[in-house]
Amino acid sequence: MCFERVFAFVLLCLPAFACSVLEDRDVCPCIFTLDMSGIDGRCVEECEISHLLYDCGEKGCLPAEEIPPMLVAKVKKSEFEWFVQCVGAGWKISLPDSLFIPFGMECPPVYSGRGAPFTACEEARDSVVLHRSFTFLNISTTGFAGKRMRVTSTTCGCTLEGVPLEGGFEVSFIIPVSGEVKVAVPRQANDGLMLEIDIGDALTGNFAIGHYIAASGYDWSAEDLCDISLKVDYTSTSVSYGTEPWPETNYYHVVF
């Protein structure tokens, strides 16, 4: 399936000023170069990048095929940070503030990069390295086929600096016969993830999966988020995460 793709890039810097050779060099701007070569053709395809949105005093937009290997800007010789958000289709982008997931949609792919290079000099440079800032919940259920399931959260996106954004998030599915469901969620600000399953006769099973995930030791602040596996039935819930061959697994008793 082909998706329209968006790449959001934010380079936050202060306005730069011209500086002649006769002026105090301490007040001259630093010439900062951001190496974009790591976002090569393969990465553009894998991360589904279609546009480059940037903010460096002035805002702009570049299609993927025009992403330059280097981005050069004049910045003041003071504290400086750059931020990158590489996002898939579906995000609502509000420059220079936030990226929102429309209510009812799961999280589109989002890969982040940031840096705080030393710029108290005449020239500085840094390189973009992208990190995975979303995760898949691989949910395996027993005894709930045909029931409606909802994953909800109080995190609905992130700022352009990568800080989780507070707001309503909800994705709804009919559980297939296999009982297996895969849901993409953004980096979470808290333990507010919930799993709700309509059991019938006006009864709903509520699973505080955010608390289970936190109790398992999962780190939402990790630079790269790994996927999470959940197994849910009437009597217990297990949470596992990590990579083979030693995933972490925790089991919890669930009472309706």
Side-chain angles (χ1 to χ4, degrees):
M1 183 175 183
C2 182
F3 295 92
E4 178 187 0
R5 299 176 292 273
V6 177
F7 179 81
F9 171 76
V10 181
L11 176 60
L12 302 182
C13 59
L14 298 173
F17 301 93
C19 184
S20 73
V21 294
L22 300 179
E23 293 179 283
D24 182 356
R25 304 302 295 176
D26 289 338
V27 300
C28 295
C30 171
I31 306 302
F32 175 67
T33 302
L34 185 63
D35 186 348
M36 308 284 285
S37 62
I39 309 176
D40 56 17
R42 178 181 174 185
C43 185
V44 167
E45 182 67 24
E46 289 181 353
C47 297
E48 300 184 342
I49 302 169
S50 69
H51 287 81
L52 180 71
L53 304 178
Y54 61 91
D55 183 352
C56 187
E58 294 183 0
K59 297 180 179 66
C61 179
L62 293 170
E65 61 271 16
E66 295 180 16
I67 295 175
M70 303 287 175
L71 189 64
V72 181
K74 293 180 180 180
V75 301
K76 282 190 173 181
K77 294 178 179 178
S78 58
E79 291 186 5
F80 170 74
E81 285 187 281
W82 58 264
F83 302 90
V84 170
Q85 296 290 350
C86 170
V87 301
W91 287 96
K92 290 186 176 180
I93 300 173
S94 175
L95 287 172
D97 299 315
S98 305
L99 293 89
F100 299 89
I101 304 169
F103 193 78
M105 283 187 58
E106 59 184 305
C107 181
V110 55
Y111 297 86
S112 303
R114 67 183 303 168
F118 179 78
T119 56
C121 50
E122 294 194 4
E123 295 185 7
R125 64 185 297 125
D126 207 348
S127 300
V128 174
V129 178
L130 297 178
H131 299 280
R132 194 168 186 254
S133 294
F134 72 105
T135 187
F136 284 109
L137 300 179
N138 297 297
I139 305 171
S140 176
T141 67
T142 301
F144 296 113
K147 306 297 184 182
R148 180 167 293 278
M149 181 190 77
R150 288 176 297 278
V151 175
T152 66
S153 170
T154 57
T155 301
C156 68
C158 63
T159 67
L160 291 173
E161 291 82 9
V163 178
L165 191 66
E166 184 176 349
F169 172 88
E170 180 178 310
V171 184
S172 178
F173 296 91
I174 298 296
I175 299 175
V177 174
S178 67
E180 306 288 331
V181 177
K182 187 175 184 177
V183 183
V185 300
R187 186 184 297 275
Q188 298 291 296
N190 50 46
D191 302 337
L193 269 173
M194 291 289 297
L195 177 62
E196 302 173 357
I197 300 177
D198 294 335
I199 299 173
D201 298 326
L203 294 177
T204 300
N206 296 300
F207 300 84
I209 58 176
H211 291 289
Y212 302 151
I213 292 169
S216 74
Y218 189 86
D219 183 8
W220 287 107
S221 66
E223 197 169 44
D224 285 288
L225 296 180
C226 56
D227 293 339
I228 301 169
S229 295
L230 303 170
K231 292 184 179 180
V232 180
D233 61 27
Y234 280 106
T235 59
S236 66
T237 299
S238 68
V239 178
S240 65
Y241 66 92
T243 57
E244 295 294 342
W246 302 290
E248 298 289 337
T249 302
N250 289 269
Y251 296 89
Y252 307 90
H253 182 64
V254 176
V255 179
F256 288 96

Tab-separated table of all heavy atoms in Angstrom, residues 26-64:
chain	number	residue	atom	x	y	z
A	26	ASP	N	33.920	38.086	18.091
A	26	ASP	CA	33.080	37.393	19.064
A	26	ASP	C	31.600	37.594	18.791
A	26	ASP	O	30.770	36.793	19.224
A	26	ASP	CB	33.408	37.860	20.484
A	26	ASP	CG	34.765	37.361	20.948
A	26	ASP	OD1	35.237	36.356	20.379
A	26	ASP	OD2	35.346	37.968	21.869
A	27	VAL	N	31.253	38.694	18.101
A	27	VAL	CA	29.836	38.935	17.815
A	27	VAL	C	29.458	38.454	16.415
A	27	VAL	O	28.310	38.569	16.006
A	27	VAL	CB	29.485	40.432	17.972
A	27	VAL	CG1	29.760	40.891	19.395
A	27	VAL	CG2	30.257	41.288	16.961
A	28	CYS	N	30.425	37.925	15.681
A	28	CYS	CA	30.128	37.385	14.359
A	28	CYS	C	29.359	36.070	14.501
A	28	CYS	O	29.532	35.352	15.480
A	28	CYS	CB	31.415	37.129	13.580
A	28	CYS	SG	32.344	38.620	13.193
A	29	PRO	N	28.525	35.746	13.515
A	29	PRO	CA	27.791	34.478	13.599
A	29	PRO	C	28.708	33.286	13.368
A	29	PRO	O	29.783	33.406	12.787
A	29	PRO	CB	26.756	34.595	12.478
A	29	PRO	CG	27.398	35.508	11.488
A	29	PRO	CD	28.174	36.515	12.299
A	30	CYS	N	28.257	32.144	13.833
A	30	CYS	CA	28.927	30.875	13.542
A	30	CYS	C	28.290	30.298	12.283
A	30	CYS	O	27.059	30.297	12.142
A	30	CYS	CB	28.748	29.910	14.714
A	30	CYS	SG	29.305	28.226	14.388
A	31	ILE	N	29.109	29.830	11.365
A	31	ILE	CA	28.599	29.181	10.157
A	31	ILE	C	28.393	27.704	10.489
A	31	ILE	O	29.346	26.958	10.677
A	31	ILE	CB	29.573	29.332	8.976
A	31	ILE	CG1	29.911	30.805	8.749
A	31	ILE	CG2	28.960	28.711	7.723
A	31	ILE	CD1	28.696	31.691	8.481
A	32	PHE	N	27.138	27.321	10.577
A	32	PHE	CA	26.800	25.956	10.991
A	32	PHE	C	26.376	25.123	9.781
A	32	PHE	O	25.535	25.546	8.987
A	32	PHE	CB	25.668	25.973	12.015
A	32	PHE	CG	25.180	24.602	12.394
A	32	PHE	CD1	26.000	23.733	13.103
A	32	PHE	CD2	23.924	24.166	12.020
A	32	PHE	CE1	25.567	22.468	13.440
A	32	PHE	CE2	23.472	22.903	12.354
A	32	PHE	CZ	24.297	22.044	13.066
A	33	THR	N	26.970	23.940	9.658
A	33	THR	CA	26.642	23.016	8.574
A	33	THR	C	26.027	21.750	9.155
A	33	THR	O	26.629	21.106	10.012
A	33	THR	CB	27.890	22.653	7.757
A	33	THR	OG1	28.478	23.848	7.221
A	33	THR	CG2	27.529	21.703	6.617
A	34	LEU	N	24.832	21.405	8.689
A	34	LEU	CA	24.183	20.174	9.105
A	34	LEU	C	24.307	19.170	7.971
A	34	LEU	O	23.811	19.388	6.863
A	34	LEU	CB	22.711	20.417	9.429
A	34	LEU	CG	21.951	19.211	9.993
A	34	LEU	CD1	22.539	18.778	11.323
A	34	LEU	CD2	20.472	19.536	10.164
A	35	ASP	N	25.000	18.078	8.254
A	35	ASP	CA	25.237	17.036	7.252
A	35	ASP	C	23.979	16.181	7.109
A	35	ASP	O	23.580	15.467	8.025
A	35	ASP	CB	26.421	16.185	7.690
A	35	ASP	CG	26.835	15.154	6.645
A	35	ASP	OD1	26.077	14.939	5.680
A	35	ASP	OD2	27.919	14.562	6.805
A	36	MET	N	23.347	16.249	5.928
A	36	MET	CA	22.118	15.513	5.660
A	36	MET	C	22.378	14.244	4.861
A	36	MET	O	21.442	13.556	4.458
A	36	MET	CB	21.158	16.404	4.858
A	36	MET	CG	20.916	17.776	5.456
A	36	MET	SD	19.813	17.709	6.860
A	36	MET	CE	18.257	17.458	6.013
A	37	SER	N	23.650	13.917	4.622
A	37	SER	CA	23.965	12.798	3.733
A	37	SER	C	23.497	11.457	4.284
A	37	SER	O	23.342	10.493	3.534
A	37	SER	CB	25.472	12.757	3.453
A	37	SER	OG	26.206	12.557	4.647
A	38	GLY	N	23.270	11.387	5.610
A	38	GLY	CA	22.758	10.154	6.186
A	38	GLY	C	21.341	9.852	5.754
A	38	GLY	O	20.868	8.708	5.857
A	39	ILE	N	20.632	10.875	5.278
A	39	ILE	CA	19.278	10.681	4.753
A	39	ILE	C	19.430	10.411	3.261
A	39	ILE	O	19.120	11.243	2.413
A	39	ILE	CB	18.395	11.918	5.016
A	39	ILE	CG1	18.476	12.323	6.486
A	39	ILE	CG2	16.944	11.643	4.635
A	39	ILE	CD1	17.711	13.585	6.817
A	40	ASP	N	19.941	9.241	2.932
A	40	ASP	CA	20.194	8.912	1.535
A	40	ASP	C	18.931	8.333	0.901
A	40	ASP	O	17.866	8.263	1.513
A	40	ASP	CB	21.364	7.939	1.420
A	40	ASP	CG	21.144	6.670	2.250
A	40	ASP	OD1	19.988	6.405	2.640
A	40	ASP	OD2	22.123	5.952	2.486
A	41	GLY	N	19.051	7.927	-0.340
A	41	GLY	CA	17.888	7.417	-1.067
A	41	GLY	C	17.220	6.250	-0.371
A	41	GLY	O	15.996	6.144	-0.333
A	42	ARG	N	18.025	5.362	0.199
A	42	ARG	CA	17.465	4.202	0.888
A	42	ARG	C	16.665	4.636	2.111
A	42	ARG	O	15.575	4.129	2.375
A	42	ARG	CB	18.589	3.256	1.293
A	42	ARG	CG	18.118	2.034	2.065
A	42	ARG	CD	19.293	1.154	2.456
A	42	ARG	NE	18.887	0.060	3.304
A	42	ARG	CZ	19.713	-0.808	3.864
A	42	ARG	NH1	21.009	-0.703	3.626
A	42	ARG	NH2	19.266	-1.772	4.635
A	43	CYS	N	17.237	5.596	2.866
A	43	CYS	CA	16.552	6.078	4.066
A	43	CYS	C	15.266	6.806	3.695
A	43	CYS	O	14.251	6.667	4.363
A	43	CYS	CB	17.473	7.002	4.856
A	43	CYS	SG	16.791	7.564	6.427
A	44	VAL	N	15.301	7.570	2.620
A	44	VAL	CA	14.099	8.274	2.159
A	44	VAL	C	12.991	7.281	1.868
A	44	VAL	O	11.828	7.480	2.229
A	44	VAL	CB	14.407	9.119	0.907
A	44	VAL	CG1	13.122	9.602	0.242
A	44	VAL	CG2	15.288	10.315	1.281
A	45	GLU	N	13.349	6.163	1.253
A	45	GLU	CA	12.349	5.147	0.914
A	45	GLU	C	11.869	4.420	2.159
A	45	GLU	O	10.665	4.249	2.370
A	45	GLU	CB	12.951	4.150	-0.073
A	45	GLU	CG	11.977	3.066	-0.545
A	45	GLU	CD	10.851	3.620	-1.392
A	45	GLU	OE1	11.025	4.698	-1.999
A	45	GLU	OE2	9.790	2.967	-1.440
A	46	GLU	N	12.797	3.988	3.007
A	46	GLU	CA	12.425	3.231	4.199
A	46	GLU	C	11.609	4.071	5.181
A	46	GLU	O	10.675	3.581	5.817
A	46	GLU	CB	13.678	2.699	4.889
A	46	GLU	CG	14.374	1.581	4.123
A	46	GLU	CD	15.582	1.061	4.854
A	46	GLU	OE1	15.959	1.654	5.890
A	46	GLU	OE2	16.163	0.069	4.393
A	47	CYS	N	11.966	5.327	5.324
A	47	CYS	CA	11.267	6.197	6.262
A	47	CYS	C	10.087	6.926	5.622
A	47	CYS	O	9.431	7.730	6.269
A	47	CYS	CB	12.229	7.212	6.869
A	47	CYS	SG	13.549	6.481	7.858
A	48	GLU	N	9.844	6.654	4.339
A	48	GLU	CA	8.705	7.211	3.617
A	48	GLU	C	8.715	8.745	3.658
A	48	GLU	O	7.739	9.399	4.011
A	48	GLU	CB	7.398	6.665	4.189
A	48	GLU	CG	7.297	5.151	4.089
A	48	GLU	CD	5.961	4.603	4.559
A	48	GLU	OE1	5.250	5.327	5.277
A	48	GLU	OE2	5.649	3.462	4.203
A	49	ILE	N	9.845	9.311	3.298
A	49	ILE	CA	9.998	10.765	3.310
A	49	ILE	C	9.538	11.341	1.972
A	49	ILE	O	9.902	10.833	0.918
A	49	ILE	CB	11.477	11.148	3.540
A	49	ILE	CG1	11.971	10.556	4.855
A	49	ILE	CG2	11.662	12.648	3.508
A	49	ILE	CD1	13.467	10.654	5.039
A	50	SER	N	8.746	12.391	2.012
A	50	SER	CA	8.369	13.033	0.758
A	50	SER	C	8.706	14.522	0.739
A	50	SER	O	8.913	15.091	-0.321
A	50	SER	CB	6.875	12.853	0.469
A	50	SER	OG	6.099	13.601	1.375
A	51	HIS	N	8.722	15.154	1.917
A	51	HIS	CA	9.016	16.587	1.946
A	51	HIS	C	9.930	16.931	3.109
A	51	HIS	O	9.954	16.247	4.126
A	51	HIS	CB	7.727	17.414	2.070
A	51	HIS	CG	6.918	17.446	0.825
A	51	HIS	ND1	6.065	16.422	0.474
A	51	HIS	CD2	6.841	18.356	-0.170
A	51	HIS	CE1	5.485	16.714	-0.670
A	51	HIS	NE2	5.935	17.881	-1.090
A	52	LEU	N	10.656	17.996	2.942
A	52	LEU	CA	11.527	18.530	3.978
A	52	LEU	C	10.993	19.897	4.364
A	52	LEU	O	11.049	20.837	3.573
A	52	LEU	CB	12.962	18.649	3.459
A	52	LEU	CG	13.992	19.203	4.435
A	52	LEU	CD1	14.273	18.173	5.518
A	52	LEU	CD2	15.277	19.554	3.719
A	53	LEU	N	10.426	19.995	5.570
A	53	LEU	CA	9.979	21.276	6.093
A	53	LEU	C	11.042	21.772	7.054
A	53	LEU	O	11.522	21.024	7.882
A	53	LEU	CB	8.639	21.128	6.820
A	53	LEU	CG	7.488	20.508	6.023
A	53	LEU	CD1	6.248	20.397	6.897
A	53	LEU	CD2	7.197	21.315	4.783
A	54	TYR	N	11.411	23.051	6.953
A	54	TYR	CA	12.476	23.534	7.812
A	54	TYR	C	12.169	24.927	8.326
A	54	TYR	O	11.388	25.676	7.734
A	54	TYR	CB	13.820	23.532	7.082
A	54	TYR	CG	13.872	24.419	5.868
A	54	TYR	CD1	14.294	25.744	5.976
A	54	TYR	CD2	13.506	23.942	4.624
A	54	TYR	CE1	14.345	26.559	4.855
A	54	TYR	CE2	13.557	24.753	3.506
A	54	TYR	CZ	13.978	26.058	3.626
A	54	TYR	OH	14.016	26.870	2.517
A	55	ASP	N	12.773	25.249	9.450
A	55	ASP	CA	12.640	26.560	10.068
A	55	ASP	C	14.022	26.995	10.515
A	55	ASP	O	14.577	26.451	11.457
A	55	ASP	CB	11.682	26.488	11.261
A	55	ASP	CG	11.449	27.855	11.902
A	55	ASP	OD1	12.138	28.807	11.514
A	55	ASP	OD2	10.591	27.951	12.791
A	56	CYS	N	14.554	27.951	9.802
A	56	CYS	CA	15.877	28.483	10.151
A	56	CYS	C	15.821	29.988	10.000
A	56	CYS	O	16.468	30.576	9.132
A	56	CYS	CB	16.953	27.875	9.263
A	56	CYS	SG	18.619	28.330	9.777
A	57	GLY	N	14.997	30.591	10.830
A	57	GLY	CA	14.733	32.010	10.660
A	57	GLY	C	13.616	32.225	9.670
A	57	GLY	O	12.713	33.014	9.898
A	58	GLU	N	13.653	31.529	8.544
A	58	GLU	CA	12.583	31.517	7.564
A	58	GLU	C	12.148	30.073	7.348
A	58	GLU	O	12.948	29.162	7.389
A	58	GLU	CB	13.050	32.121	6.233
A	58	GLU	CG	13.387	33.608	6.325
A	58	GLU	CD	13.768	34.168	4.974
A	58	GLU	OE1	13.777	33.397	3.988
A	58	GLU	OE2	14.081	35.363	4.902
A	59	LYS	N	10.853	29.903	7.102
A	59	LYS	CA	10.330	28.549	6.895
A	59	LYS	C	10.388	28.196	5.414
A	59	LYS	O	10.316	29.059	4.551
A	59	LYS	CB	8.887	28.450	7.396
A	59	LYS	CG	8.739	28.699	8.892
A	59	LYS	CD	7.288	28.593	9.302
A	59	LYS	CE	7.143	28.823	10.787
A	59	LYS	NZ	7.482	30.207	11.180
A	60	GLY	N	10.520	26.918	5.118
A	60	GLY	CA	10.536	26.464	3.745
A	60	GLY	C	10.137	25.009	3.644
A	60	GLY	O	9.930	24.326	4.643
A	61	CYS	N	10.013	24.537	2.410
A	61	CYS	CA	9.608	23.151	2.175
A	61	CYS	C	10.320	22.638	0.932
A	61	CYS	O	10.371	23.326	-0.092
A	61	CYS	CB	8.093	23.080	1.984
A	61	CYS	SG	7.469	21.429	1.645
A	62	LEU	N	10.889	21.447	1.037
A	62	LEU	CA	11.574	20.821	-0.089
A	62	LEU	C	11.021	19.423	-0.304
A	62	LEU	O	10.799	18.694	0.660
A	62	LEU	CB	13.078	20.723	0.171
A	62	LEU	CG	13.872	22.022	0.253
A	62	LEU	CD1	15.277	21.727	0.762
A	62	LEU	CD2	13.923	22.703	-1.100
A	63	PRO	N	10.793	19.011	-1.551
A	63	PRO	CA	10.422	17.616	-1.803
A	63	PRO	C	11.620	16.711	-1.544
A	63	PRO	O	12.768	17.157	-1.505
A	63	PRO	CB	10.034	17.618	-3.288
A	63	PRO	CG	10.759	18.785	-3.871
A	63	PRO	CD	10.840	19.819	-2.789
A	64	ALA	N	11.344	15.437	-1.366
A	64	ALA	CA	12.384	14.484	-0.974
A	64	ALA	C	13.560	14.475	-1.952
A	64	ALA	O	14.714	14.383	-1.540
A	64	ALA	CB	11.792	13.081	-0.869
